[in-house]
């Protein structure tokens, strides 16, 4: 379950604690990516930089990295979802006995295409400067860290949905049977928590991203990633996509 935990505790509170910890990872990943300029050659569909590979260099780097990580068992973990699930090699290492709390129908939900699209086309231009410094491999590694952190957070919606269902099966069963996605969305939404999440991630971007100086005249107005972009990331994409995963999971919960 929650990263680094034994898996024995499965409550809405423990799930939310993990989501809060994942915010730190996401903010730090974005700050690392912001060290590099856009490096748009990396994403160019028609450059064919790698002989024998057709597609953007970022696809090549992500596919190769995911293949290595798949062999080392990364995607055996129900919290992990690959960006290129087709033709991934199987795990070569002995299986770790992950606690299986998810319903089988929902376990296969993977909305990484939407996450990839959002990250590359909408989010990146909001927090990296224009330019090309040639550091394509490092930039792509940094992109992948961001994408994996976002993907893990968003697909955590499966665990959120499972615990919400277990806590109130009588509320969830009728709209699940009726396949009423709007009603499920209403039921699972907690606006008070969402407001807190957005406020907190903006604050984290301010605290983690300020320049730290040995003297007292630090420039407190300069942040490594604009805190309002982090708040917007959660408001426009992370929270709605997490809720989309929750609804998709619940719709299949009684299959
Ligand atoms: C994840 C949850 O479900 C919903 C999604 C939220 C989010 O993505 O941060 C927050 C509150 C809920 O509207 C939750 O209740 O914690």
């Amino acid at each position: 379950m929650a990263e680094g935990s034994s898996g024995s505790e499965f409550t809405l509170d423990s799930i939310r604690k993990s989501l809060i910890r994942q915010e730190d990872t996401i903010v730090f990943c974005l700050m690392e990516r912001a060290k590099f300029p856009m490096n748009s050659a990396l994403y160019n569909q028609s450059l064919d930089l790698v002989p024998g590979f057709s597609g953007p260099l970022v696809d090549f780097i992500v596919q190769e990295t995911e293949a290595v990580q798949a062999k080392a068992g990364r995607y055996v973990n129900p919290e992990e979802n690959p960006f290129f699930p087709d033709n991934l090699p199987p795990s070569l290492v002995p299986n770790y006995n992950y606690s299986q709390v998810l319903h089988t129908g929902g376990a296969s939900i993977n909305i990484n295409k939407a996450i990839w699209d959002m990250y590359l086309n909408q989010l990146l231009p909001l927090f990296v400067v224009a330019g090309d410094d040639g550091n394509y491999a490092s930039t792509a590694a940094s992109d992948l860290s961001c994408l994996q952190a976002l993907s893990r957070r968003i697909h955590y919606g499966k665990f959120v949905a499972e615990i919400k269902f277990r806590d109130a099966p009588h509320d969830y069963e009728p709209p699940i049977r009726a396949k009423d996605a709007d009603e499920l969305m209403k039921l699972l939404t907690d606006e008070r928590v969402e407001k807190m999440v957005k406020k907190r991630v903006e604050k984290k971007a301010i605290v983690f991203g300020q320049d730290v100086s040995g003297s007292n005249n630090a420039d407190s107005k300069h942040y490594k990633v604009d805190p309002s972009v982090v708040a917007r990331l959660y408001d426009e994409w992370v929270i709605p996509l997490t809720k989309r995963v929750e609804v998709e999971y619940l719709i299949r919960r009684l299959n």
Side-chain angles (χ1 to χ4, degrees):
M1 269 313 312
E3 215 170 339
S5 83
S6 65
S8 53
E9 201 196 358
F10 183 51
T11 61
L12 187 53
D13 200 42
S14 70
I15 296 286
R16 285 183 172 155
K17 279 202 178 107
S18 171
L19 293 179
I20 291 170
R21 182 63 183 84
Q22 290 179 50
E23 291 163 1
D24 304 0
T25 310
I26 290 169
V27 173
F28 277 110
C29 283
L30 298 178
M31 290 188 332
E32 285 304 289
R33 176 58 183 86
K35 285 196 301 195
F36 303 106
M38 183 51 123
N39 284 335
S40 52
L42 186 53
Y43 315 103
N44 192 313
Q45 296 279 353
S46 43
L47 274 182
D48 282 339
L49 296 173
V50 182
F53 182 87
S54 95
L57 182 55
V58 70
D59 288 24
F60 173 78
I61 295 169
V62 170
Q63 281 180 33
E64 295 281 323
T65 308
E66 285 195 332
V68 172
Q69 297 191 342
K71 287 189 211 169
R74 182 176 186 119
Y75 302 107
V76 179
N77 182 341
E79 295 173 19
E80 298 284 355
N81 292 276
F83 284 87
F84 293 90
D86 299 334
N87 308 316
L88 265 189
S91 169
L92 303 176
V93 300
N95 270 355
Y96 178 82
N97 197 13
Y98 291 102
S99 61
Q100 301 293 336
V101 296
L102 296 180
H103 184 260
T104 44
S108 61
I109 295 163
N110 181 340
I111 64 160
N112 274 342
K113 269 199 179 71
I115 296 171
W116 177 275
D117 237 51
M118 172 279 283
Y119 176 81
L120 291 185
N121 300 322
Q122 298 187 266
L123 181 62
L124 256 189
L126 297 179
F127 78 97
V128 299
V129 297
D132 186 324
D133 70 357
N135 282 309
Y136 303 142
S138 316
T139 304
S142 189
D143 282 329
L144 182 54
S145 297
C146 292
L147 284 161
Q148 286 174 330
L150 289 166
S151 173
R152 177 190 275 261
R153 194 294 177 186
I154 288 163
H155 287 98
Y156 230 72
K158 297 178 196 180
F159 296 94
V160 178
E162 177 62 25
I163 196 68
K164 285 184 179 177
F165 175 82
R166 287 192 199 180
D167 285 347
H170 298 306
D171 295 341
Y172 281 96
E173 275 170 22
I176 292 174
R177 292 194 200 285
K179 303 236 173 286
D180 187 343
D182 291 343
E183 182 57 27
L184 286 170
M185 187 62 93
K186 254 192 240 155
L187 266 180
L188 63 82
T189 294
D190 189 327
E191 279 169 13
R192 191 189 55 89
V193 170
E194 289 185 21
K195 237 179 160 167
M196 245 164 28
V197 169
K198 286 182 262 183
K199 256 190 159 154
R200 191 175 50 237
V201 292
E202 184 165 18
K203 202 165 166 189
K204 285 182 178 180
I206 291 171
V207 173
F208 302 163
Q210 59 192 285
D211 286 336
V212 178
S213 124
S215 66
N216 283 335
N217 47 11
D219 175 6
S220 61
K221 292 281 176 305
H222 177 259
Y223 303 111
K224 295 181 179 72
V225 170
D226 180 350
S228 72
V229 168
V230 179
R232 183 170 164 202
L233 163 66
Y234 268 72
D235 182 41
E236 275 189 42
W237 299 300
V238 171
I239 294 175
L241 288 171
T242 303
K243 294 188 345 178
R244 178 172 145 194
V245 168
E246 290 184 54
V247 170
E248 288 196 21
Y249 181 88
L250 287 165
I251 288 278
R252 295 166 174 79
R253 180 59 178 75
L254 297 174
N255 290 352

